[in-house]
Amino acid sequence: MRKFSLTRFLFCCAAAIALISPAQPVSAGQPTTVFEVNTYADLVDEYPNGICSAGSITGGPCSLRAAIYDAATWNANGYNVRILLPPGTYQLTQQGSGTDNPFFGDLDLVLIHKTMNLSVTIEGTGTQPSVIDARWIDRVLDIWPETPEAGNRHHVILSNLVIKNGLIRSTTDLSARGGGVRVDRVDLTVENVRFMDNEARGVSQGEGYKDGAGGGLSIGYAKLIMSDCELDGNEADYGSALSIWDPESAKYTFVQRTSFHDNHSGSTVIHAYGTLYLVNSTLAYNSSTRESSVGVRSFGPAFIHSSTLQISGAGTNLECIFETCMLRNSALIREPKNGKIGRNCRAGDAISSEGGNVMDDDTCPGPGKVIYPGTWRMVFAGQYFLPSSDSPVVNYISPNDCKAFQFGQSVDPVDAPLQTDQRKFSRGGWCDAGSIETPNVNFLPVIFK
């Protein structure tokens, strides 16, 4: 939805907004305003006056669609925005032909300010999930800057949400990007979010074919930080779960403590242009229409640290093209399917081992690897491969070598001792290869869905 412009009207409203709804300052930066959504209905606010009020200028219910629409007004006038979403299901119901209109189809978050670095947060507020269900009428959420001058100035945070049943179809002119969420030139942080059953659907093969990428999430020319998330049941021609487009590697993607499972693609689960960090994460039991499916395909530098990659059938766990992938303290597993079995790394790829890796074939480079063909004595339980006490991954890494890229106090990832696994269990002492430490059989973690 890239044609609807609010800029001229929004700046005319600046003085009135400041008088009607004083915002609350945050830290030493720009002030913020808060919208508390109070209806599950997908209601339209036709008045871009900065007041979340569907159906009337003031006093109407504050719907999610209205809050996102009015967030643009505050952004244009130099405010951060927080949208608080109570638990429950928010179904998108506004169908219509106006696909370039924020009143129909997906939720359009347009960032407008040209000189300030501002943020918009959409946050589930309860212990139970806040679910945004597109019902396959469109993708769920589309995020972009209105002008080139506003590009890469803004930061969007999605927290404690379920994003499901988004569907975007390609045309003979345009490829489909981001079945659940599409982001262009806006930095994104995703925390405790489940992307579930979203699809970016390409048109039929042949003349005029356009593909679909990023079934769960597609992001371009922007920084992505993803923590404690789950991507399952998503589908696309490539990047069934995640598609990253940044061929200049000016930005990076950092994924930690996240599971990618049961996604379906024509080729890849994670399709990455740009720098990729994958830490304490699991890829398992994803499927493909092709025998040569790939778990992670990276066209830029990649750092695969303390992660578990499991490919099913005649596919490949890791492909690295053009730039070097650094593989450290990870477990790479092949699962037979339909009488066929794949490989962990593609021969001739730019992959370098930093040690601590355990795998079941010899296709990935050394040094510091151990090959254990056959059974792994590990069990896939919902989101994780849980090693048994006699699995070869257990206590394979000495305390001094249990390190990974992670976020500390700095802005960018730093290589430092790794204290916890994907479930935030302690990595104390000798570490297990892969994303999970040996489980305590008396405790099963509760995972936000």
Side-chain angles (χ1 to χ4, degrees):
M1 302 190 184
R2 303 299 171 93
K3 298 179 182 178
F4 194 88
S5 176
L6 298 174
T7 306
R8 183 177 300 175
F9 185 90
L10 297 179
F11 278 102
C12 292
C13 292
I17 292 170
L19 291 174
I20 295 172
S21 300
Q24 301 172 2
V26 290
S27 66
Q30 283 73 39
T32 188
T33 193
V34 177
F35 291 134
E36 296 187 26
V37 174
N38 56 24
T39 177
Y40 296 113
D42 187 19
L43 305 177
V44 171
D45 182 353
E46 298 182 358
Y47 307 97
N49 57 4
I51 301 172
C52 187
S53 173
S56 62
I57 296 177
T58 62
C62 181
S63 67
L64 175 59
R65 185 179 295 273
I68 289 175
Y69 182 59
D70 283 295
T73 306
W74 289 97
N75 171 264
N77 290 284
Y79 286 78
N80 300 309
V81 179
R82 284 183 68 205
I83 298 172
L84 304 181
L85 205 59
T89 299
Y90 300 80
Q91 293 187 338
L92 304 189
T93 60
Q94 296 292 341
Q95 301 188 61
S97 59
T99 56
D100 291 321
N101 190 312
F103 302 152
F104 297 101
D106 59 7
L107 303 170
D108 295 327
L109 177 55
V110 55
L111 288 312
I112 296 172
H113 209 290
K114 299 179 180 179
T115 60
M116 289 184 179
N117 299 322
L118 301 169
S119 68
V120 176
T121 300
I122 303 175
E123 176 183 351
T125 59
T127 57
Q128 298 300 311
S130 299
V131 180
I132 310 176
D133 182 355
R135 300 172 54 252
W136 301 287
I137 68 170
D138 203 340
R139 71 165 57 88
V140 178
L141 181 61
D142 201 1
I143 303 168
W144 78 95
E146 190 185 50
T147 64
E149 294 82 2
N152 294 121
R153 290 192 170 277
H154 302 286
H155 184 197
V156 171
I157 300 104
L158 305 178
S159 178
N160 300 329
L161 303 171
V162 175
I163 293 173
K164 65 182 292 188
N165 296 337
L167 172 61
I168 185 70
R169 297 178 175 89
S170 66
T171 67
T172 54
D173 297 319
L174 295 173
S175 297
R177 295 290 182 267
V181 177
R182 177 175 61 178
V183 183
D184 182 33
R185 300 182 189 275
V186 175
D187 290 347
L188 179 68
T189 294
V190 187
E191 302 171 336
N192 202 18
V193 174
R194 184 178 184 184
F195 294 83
M196 179 182 179
D197 297 337
N198 304 287
E199 182 180 357
R201 183 182 299 172
V203 299
S204 300
Q205 295 278 1
E207 185 177 356
Y209 171 73
K210 298 293 182 180
D211 52 28
L217 169 64
S218 175
I219 185 166
Y221 298 102
K223 179 169 68 177
L224 170 63
I225 301 171
M226 178 177 286
S227 302
D228 304 295
C229 293
E230 183 178 6
L231 295 90
D232 63 297
N234 303 290
E235 186 168 351
D237 293 318
Y238 62 89
S240 58
L242 175 60
S243 175
I244 305 151
W245 177 253
D246 185 15
E248 299 172 358
S249 292
K251 298 284 187 175
Y252 62 81
T253 293
F254 186 91
V255 178
Q256 64 180 349
R257 299 188 303 272
T258 292
S259 285
F260 303 79
H261 66 92
D262 297 296
N263 301 287
H264 184 76
S265 76
S267 59
T268 57
V269 180
I270 298 177
H271 200 87
Y273 282 84
T275 302
L276 171 66
Y277 299 87
L278 185 69
V279 179
N280 267 346
S281 294
T282 299
L283 277 79
Y285 288 103
N286 299 287
S287 61
S288 173
T289 55
R290 304 176 185 174
E291 291 185 351
S292 57
S293 62
V294 178
V296 178
R297 177 178 287 157
S298 180
F299 292 85
F303 302 86
I304 313 297
H305 288 179
S306 297
S307 291
T308 300
L309 279 61
Q310 178 267 7
I311 194 71
S312 297
T316 304
N317 266 316
L318 179 62
E319 284 189 359
C320 300
I321 304 169
F322 303 142
E323 300 284 350
T324 299
C325 290
M326 308 300 289
L327 187 62
R328 182 198 298 176
N329 298 349
S330 293
L332 278 69
I333 310 167
R334 301 169 301 149
E335 181 79 9
K337 185 177 180 181
N338 299 327
K340 299 181 179 181
I341 191 167
R343 60 194 174 184
N344 286 314
C345 297
R346 192 179 71 166
D349 274 12
I351 300 173
S352 178
S353 171
E354 297 180 302
N357 303 303
V358 178
M359 57 198 71
D360 64 356
D361 72 4
D362 60 357
T363 58
C364 298
K369 67 176 182 180
V370 172
I371 301 169
Y372 287 91
T375 179
W376 274 74
R377 297 177 296 282
M378 298 174 75
V379 178
F380 187 65
Q383 298 184 59
Y384 316 110
F385 261 111
L386 304 179
S388 61
S389 60
D390 60 346
S391 172
V393 305
V394 174
N395 293 337
Y396 181 62
I397 304 152
S398 70
N400 292 336
D401 294 326
C402 190
K403 297 179 180 180
F405 274 105
Q406 54 202 288
F407 276 97
Q409 298 301 316
S410 62
V411 175
D412 296 323
V414 294
D415 203 2
L418 189 62
Q419 303 296 331
T420 60
D421 73 350
Q422 183 176 350
R423 299 175 298 170
K424 299 185 179 179
F425 287 7
S426 174
R427 291 266 193 189
W430 285 69
C431 296
D432 295 356
S435 58
I436 298 297
E437 285 293 300
T438 309
N440 182 340
V441 297
N442 295 320
F443 174 76
L444 292 176
V446 177
I447 304 300
F448 179 90
K449 295 281 187 179

